[in-house]
Amino acid sequence: MAAIATAVAAATSAFTSFNLTRATPYTRRHIRTFIASSSSPNEFNITFAPPKPKPKPEPEPANPINPNLDNTELSGQLYIPWIVRDEKGNLTLQSTPPARLLHDMANASTGKKKKKGKEIASKAATKVGPTAEPKHSKAARRFYNENFRDPPQRLAKVLAASGVASRRSSEELIFQGRVTVNGSVCKTPQTKVDPARDIIYVNGNRLPKKLPSKVYLALNKPKGYICSSGEKETKSVMALFDDFIKSWDKRHPGQPKPRLYTVGRLDVATTGLIIVTNDGEFAHQISHPSSNLSKEYIATIDGEVHKRHLIAICEGTVIDGVHCTPDNVELLPGQPDKPRPRLRIVVHEGRNHEVRELVKNAGLQLRALKRIRIGGFRLPADLALGKHVELNQAQLKALGWKS
């Protein structure tokens, strides 16, 4: 170390004396050159460790899955093998997914995943079974009863809706003291009752709590049947619904059988459309003259029909002290299968035998009469005689039902 210090001191003194003789300053490069060029009697043997040799790259192993596949094709990519059965039925490996899988993935529909909690709850519900209905508070029950429960109805109306008898016959049963409400005999048909709450007995038989569902039927009435629900009638229109009443328990279990009746009437010789129901409000609204529903009839005439006959029908006639005129009268064109002349007559009052009286007053002889339309509902062309069809909401609306 002493020798190194002596050499450094000698170099410093030489640099100082040399710097005084020249005005140009020396840079670091000049200092290094000067120090390297200076001769020193001492020689330094400084050696450094050789650099650590770099490891030789090992050769890439062959593809363990498919030795025939070149690794250069998979450089920098993740190889996922696909086992595919070829046309001969042999299993082979390939680097791309099958075309069928790609097609199914492209056409697959996406959806939201169900939460685990909901899945567990649904599984538990299927295992345990249906749970009991939750108990509501008194305020909630009171609100439901005041706003959604059917209001109490007159006793005679409830008996008629339950199928006991007609409205008038039910009133007679009440007057005779054969009906009890909550253990007391009731002789007032206007008494308001609720079948779901009140205990009603008729001739010692308990009235069911549930009233039957509302029924709305359209019947193609055949000739020779009377529109009466009386049990004494041997050939009543109600006899055409025996199969419907017998199958009621299968379609509506737990409900009493309905008592059906016709909306309005057709005489025994008239055929065609007639409505049958167990809804009194509906029947009253459709049959009342204030509904102003038009009814269309087809009248088959014996003999020839002239213009004077049409004018006489249009002028109308007096029925029960009221002058009645039709809305429309038209002579239909003849058809090969129907040689007799036919008239299309539209009325809206619907008085008893109105169409027959109009034809008779014109001096024509009526052979057959058929009703084909009430309001906006027309008798289906494929409905055979004696058959019926249930009406849907659109058809009821066409009849003028506003409920």
Side-chain angles (χ1 to χ4, degrees), residues 91-111:
L91 296 176
T92 58
L93 292 176
Q94 65 181 28
S95 60
T96 57
R100 183 179 179 182
L101 177 61
L102 296 177
H103 179 72
D104 294 342
M105 292 176 63
N107 296 333
S109 59
T110 58

Side-chain angles (χ1 to χ4, degrees), residues 127-402:
K127 292 181 180 179
V128 176
T131 58
E133 296 182 359
K135 295 182 178 180
H136 302 285
S137 62
K138 292 183 178 180
R141 293 196 299 269
R142 188 183 305 111
F143 178 81
Y144 173 80
N145 294 335
E146 293 176 355
N147 295 275
F148 298 99
R149 184 182 292 275
D150 294 334
Q153 301 177 6
R154 289 181 288 119
L155 179 58
K157 183 178 179 180
V158 171
L159 296 182
S162 301
V164 175
S166 63
R167 187 80 60 89
R168 295 179 181 178
S169 299
S170 298
E171 292 178 355
E172 294 178 359
L173 293 175
I174 296 172
F175 289 140
Q176 295 173 3
R178 299 163 66 179
V179 180
T180 61
V181 179
N182 298 327
S184 302
V185 177
C186 182
K187 294 186 177 182
T188 307
Q190 293 81 12
T191 303
K192 296 296 183 68
V193 295
D194 185 0
R197 296 181 177 182
D198 300 325
I199 302 175
I200 305 173
Y201 278 86
V202 180
N203 294 330
N205 298 323
R206 172 73 182 274
L207 198 72
K209 293 184 178 181
K210 292 183 179 180
L211 295 178
S213 302
K214 302 299 182 181
V215 179
Y216 308 94
L217 305 172
L219 172 68
N220 189 0
K221 175 188 171 300
K223 187 177 180 179
Y225 284 82
I226 299 176
C227 296
S228 174
S229 58
E231 298 179 358
K232 297 181 181 180
E233 301 292 345
T234 56
K235 207 170 183 182
S236 172
V237 169
M238 296 300 108
L240 301 174
F241 296 92
D242 291 342
D243 295 338
F244 178 81
I245 297 299
K246 290 179 181 178
S247 61
W248 178 266
D249 294 335
K250 295 181 180 179
R251 293 180 286 107
H252 304 277
Q255 293 187 13
K257 295 180 180 180
R259 176 186 170 273
L260 302 178
Y261 45 86
T262 60
V263 180
R265 293 190 178 187
L266 292 176
D267 55 59
V268 64
T270 304
T271 62
L273 176 62
I274 188 168
I275 306 300
V276 179
T277 183
N278 64 338
D279 190 350
E281 296 180 2
F282 170 75
H284 177 73
Q285 179 177 337
I286 299 303
S287 59
H288 199 270
S290 61
S291 62
N292 201 23
L293 285 178
S294 61
K295 302 174 181 64
E296 183 177 347
Y297 294 82
I298 301 296
T300 304
I301 307 298
D302 276 339
E304 296 182 357
V305 178
H306 301 284
K307 186 176 181 180
R308 66 177 185 274
H309 297 134
L310 301 179
I311 295 175
I313 295 176
C314 292
E315 291 177 352
T317 185
V318 178
I319 302 175
D320 297 334
V322 179
H323 186 78
C324 301
T325 57
D327 296 341
N328 190 9
V329 178
E330 180 184 0
L331 178 62
L332 298 178
Q335 297 182 3
D337 56 340
K338 297 177 181 179
R340 292 184 175 87
R342 295 180 303 147
L343 297 177
R344 186 176 71 90
I345 304 175
V346 180
V347 297
H348 67 275
E349 294 184 6
R351 294 189 176 273
N352 190 23
H353 303 293
E354 181 178 359
V355 178
R356 292 182 178 273
E357 291 295 331
L358 290 172
V359 174
K360 181 180 179 181
N361 183 63
L364 296 175
Q365 185 178 357
L366 185 64
R367 182 177 182 86
L369 184 63
K370 180 179 182 180
R371 183 163 66 183
I372 61 172
R373 179 176 63 84
I374 299 177
F377 176 73
R378 187 175 294 273
L379 181 68
D382 56 347
L383 188 61
L385 284 173
K387 301 299 180 180
H388 65 272
V389 62
E390 295 190 22
L391 301 178
N392 53 32
Q393 293 296 329
Q395 294 169 340
L396 291 176
K397 188 176 180 181
L399 285 169
W401 180 231
K402 300 178 182 179

